[in-house]
Amino acid sequence: MGQIKLENIRVFANHGCLTEETKIGSDYRVDLEVEADLEPSAKSDNLKDTVDYVFLNRVVREEMAKPSYLLETVAKNIINRIFKEDTMVTQTTVWVSKINPPIGGDVEMVTIKMSEDRKI
């Protein structure tokens, strides 16, 4: 087994429960970690034998572009899509952070973390 991590994917998106959040949008940070058997690709040196991190980045960006009220929904959509489109992934963890959230205080970011193992 091995892990592939994408860290600090920066996106602008329109998530939130407040009307202003969905209209004006805000900055987000997404971190992603997937587990897969990386031995075949280590031996073959062939992209088809591993999880393509270009694919992972694309999934994050496309799912972040779909407005949701909750970050939990966005994270779950990212996880579901990765499992659906890449059978090599056995476990996924995603962190979705809203930068400078409008919560009435000096808070750098709010982060939710979700993890899931592939259901057999």
Side-chain angles (χ1 to χ4, degrees), residues 23-49:
K23 284 185 180 177
I24 63 172
S26 56
D27 293 313
Y28 291 83
R29 170 187 172 157
V30 179
D31 297 280
L32 179 68
E33 181 177 287
V34 299
E35 289 188 11
D37 183 1
L38 302 181
E39 279 299 313
S41 59
K43 291 177 184 173
S44 72
D45 198 28
N46 194 321
L47 182 60
K48 73 173 180 59
D49 294 329

Side-chain angles (χ1 to χ4, degrees), residues 10-14 24-28 61 64-65:
R10 293 176 299 276
V11 295
F12 186 85
N14 299 79
I24 63 172
S26 56
D27 293 313
Y28 291 83
R61 293 189 172 284
M64 287 296 291

